[in-house]
């Protein structure tokens, strides 16, 4: 009797298309469920809202030396969950896999200073905007600087290679044409920029509102600073990312954010973490048109 010799390499080659097909079908299946399944009853029964975070993102979600998770979004998401009768359950995730984790059900939402960009809006749904993360000018309270025009002829500090530097150069009419020499002093980090501001070597620091607010609120001598919002620079719209199928959850979170604005909680969180007296909340229908499925899917 002749022995049959199995060519495993050939078998693998023949089976490879099946593996690819199965993998593609699984992804398509997950996308379909994420876009068409409302999971609110499951979330309500569980009693927890699974929140995906990058726990190194200061000041939105980060860990203290003792490992405790704290931050702007930690406080806000717990407050929203409380309004909904839920508990917030934070899941530290690989940020590069955030949308995959959302669609496969590992988490219920992405809540981490998450910007609602046009490309993301094609794939997932967003809540109403709760933060405009643009640029802010930080100055000393005892200065006479009340607006950008007051920076004329004064020295400005900016972190090198930051969005603030990009906006400063891209929109010269806002601030660049005003400051001394039409160029800033560049720093490796915001901490160094604030040290020079405190010492009087500069009269202002331009930085992202989120970071500027946190630094100006939490560093030493924080009571010496005030923020002037740079509304003429474009602002990123920060919102909560959810599955497109979770219409009930989207509506309930939008409602809860409105409650927190009305009772003053949103303003308190802004003051605590960003040092700004604001309860800004975008309209419910601002991103609503992007939350629907626009293309026909095949299951």
């Amino acid at each position: 009797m002749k022995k049959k010799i199995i060519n495993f390499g050939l078998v693998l080659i023949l089976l490879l298309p099946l593996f690819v097909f199965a993998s593609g079908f699984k992804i398509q299946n997950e996308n379909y469920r994420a876009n068409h399944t409302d999971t609110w009853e499951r979330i309500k029964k569980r009693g927890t809202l699974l929140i995906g975070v990058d726990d190194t993102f200061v000041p939105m979600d980060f860990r203290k030396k003792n490992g405790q998770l704290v931050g702007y979004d930690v406080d806000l998401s717990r407050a929203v969950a409380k309004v909904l009768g839920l508990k917030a359950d934070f899941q530290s995730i690989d940020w590069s896999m955030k949308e995959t984790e959302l669609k496969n059900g590992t988490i219920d939402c992405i809540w981490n200073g998450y910007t609602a960009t046009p490309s993301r809006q094609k794939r997932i749904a967003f809540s109403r905007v709760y933060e405009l993360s643009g640029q802010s000018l930080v100055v000393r309270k005892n200065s006479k600087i009340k607006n950008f025009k007051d920076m004329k002829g004064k020295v400005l500090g900016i972190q090198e290679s930051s969005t603030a530097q990009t906006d400063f150069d891209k929109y010269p009419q806002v601030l660049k044409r005003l400051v001394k020499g039409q160029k800033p002093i560049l720093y490796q980090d915001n901490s160094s920029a604030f040290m020079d501001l405190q010492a009087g070597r500069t009269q202002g620091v331009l930085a992202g509102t989120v970071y500027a607010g946190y630094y100006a609120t939490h560093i030493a001598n924080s009571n010496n600073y005030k923020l002037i919002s740079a509304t003429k620079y474009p602002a990123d719209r920060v919102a909560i990312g959810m599955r497109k199928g979770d219409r009930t959850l989207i509506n309930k979170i939008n409602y809860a954010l409105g409650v927190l604005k009305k009772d003053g909680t949103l303003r308190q969180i802004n003051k605590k973490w960003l040092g700004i007296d604001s309860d800004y909340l975008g309209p419910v229908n601002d991103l609503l048109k992007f939350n629907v499925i626009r293309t026909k899917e095949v299951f």
Side-chain angles (χ1 to χ4, degrees):
M1 181 181 292
K2 293 183 179 180
K3 294 182 179 180
K4 293 183 179 179
I5 301 175
I6 299 175
N7 188 328
F8 288 100
L10 180 60
V11 172
L12 288 174
I13 292 174
L14 293 174
L15 291 178
L16 184 59
L18 294 176
F19 293 145
V20 173
F21 175 80
S23 177
F25 183 79
K26 180 181 178 182
I27 293 173
Q28 188 180 50
N29 192 12
E30 287 180 351
N31 286 338
Y32 185 89
R33 284 199 302 268
N35 290 334
H36 295 84
T37 305
D38 192 316
T39 66
W40 171 249
E41 289 302 322
R42 189 187 312 163
I43 293 171
K44 184 179 178 181
K45 184 177 180 180
R46 187 203 304 143
T48 57
L49 185 64
L50 304 179
I51 301 168
V53 302
D54 168 8
D55 60 8
T56 65
F57 187 30
V58 179
M60 308 309 279
D61 301 89
F62 65 101
R63 295 193 182 276
K64 298 171 69 173
K65 290 182 179 180
N66 63 3
Q68 179 187 3
L69 185 67
V70 296
Y72 181 104
D73 278 335
V74 175
D75 284 359
L76 183 60
S77 55
R78 280 178 174 155
V80 165
K82 185 177 180 180
V83 172
L84 301 182
L86 303 171
K87 289 185 178 180
D89 184 351
F90 300 98
Q91 306 287 324
S92 297
I93 60 174
D94 180 344
W95 195 243
S96 65
M97 297 292 290
K98 56 189 176 296
E99 290 177 11
T100 299
E101 300 281 16
L102 179 66
K103 289 187 176 183
N104 66 24
T106 305
I107 57 176
D108 298 317
C109 54
I110 303 168
W111 202 329
N112 204 145
Y114 194 42
T115 304
T117 65
S119 61
R120 286 170 176 169
Q121 289 166 355
K122 293 177 182 178
R123 300 189 296 273
I124 65 174
F126 280 95
S127 70
R128 59 199 302 188
V129 175
Y130 64 88
E131 186 68 53
L132 293 176
S133 181
Q135 307 301 329
S136 283
L137 176 66
V138 185
V139 299
R140 285 175 294 173
K141 282 184 178 178
N142 61 3
S143 73
K144 295 181 180 180
I145 301 171
K146 297 180 180 180
N147 52 51
F148 274 36
K149 291 181 179 180
D150 292 336
M151 281 296 293
K152 187 173 182 179
K154 294 181 171 58
V155 181
L156 178 72
I158 296 182
Q159 181 181 8
E160 188 173 12
S161 300
S162 64
T163 304
Q165 184 183 5
T166 300
D167 285 348
F168 177 83
D169 290 327
K170 189 174 181 180
Y171 305 95
Q173 73 279 6
V174 179
L175 188 58
K176 186 174 183 177
R177 64 179 179 84
L178 296 172
V179 301
K180 186 176 180 179
Q182 296 192 7
K183 61 182 180 180
I185 295 178
L186 298 177
Y187 298 87
Q188 288 187 337
D189 52 61
N190 281 320
S191 296
S192 299
F194 276 107
M195 287 177 62
D196 269 6
L197 177 62
Q198 177 64 27
R201 287 185 283 270
T202 63
Q203 286 73 58
V205 172
L206 185 68
T209 299
V210 169
Y211 297 106
Y214 178 74
Y215 278 114
T217 305
H218 292 78
I219 63 174
N221 304 309
S222 60
N223 288 333
N224 295 340
Y225 303 110
K226 64 180 180 181
L227 269 67
I228 300 171
S229 182
T231 55
K232 292 186 179 180
Y233 288 128
D236 292 332
R237 296 181 295 173
V238 178
I240 302 129
M242 289 167 278
R243 293 177 285 268
K244 285 183 179 286
D246 274 325
R247 302 297 310 156
T248 304
L249 180 61
I250 295 167
N251 291 334
K252 286 185 176 293
I253 284 182
N254 283 339
Y255 164 78
L257 287 170
V259 171
L260 299 181
K261 175 183 172 69
K262 188 175 182 179
D263 69 12
T265 301
L266 184 59
R267 186 180 297 276
Q268 291 173 6
I269 293 173
N270 274 307
K271 285 183 177 180
K272 175 182 177 180
W273 290 105
L274 306 183
I276 56 177
D277 186 13
S278 169
D279 64 351
Y280 171 80
L281 189 61
V284 172
N285 61 356
D286 185 27
L287 301 179
L288 198 61
K289 61 183 178 180
F290 297 102
N291 291 344
V292 298
I293 306 301
R294 297 187 176 189
T295 56
K296 185 178 180 181
E297 297 178 78
V298 179
F299 177 60

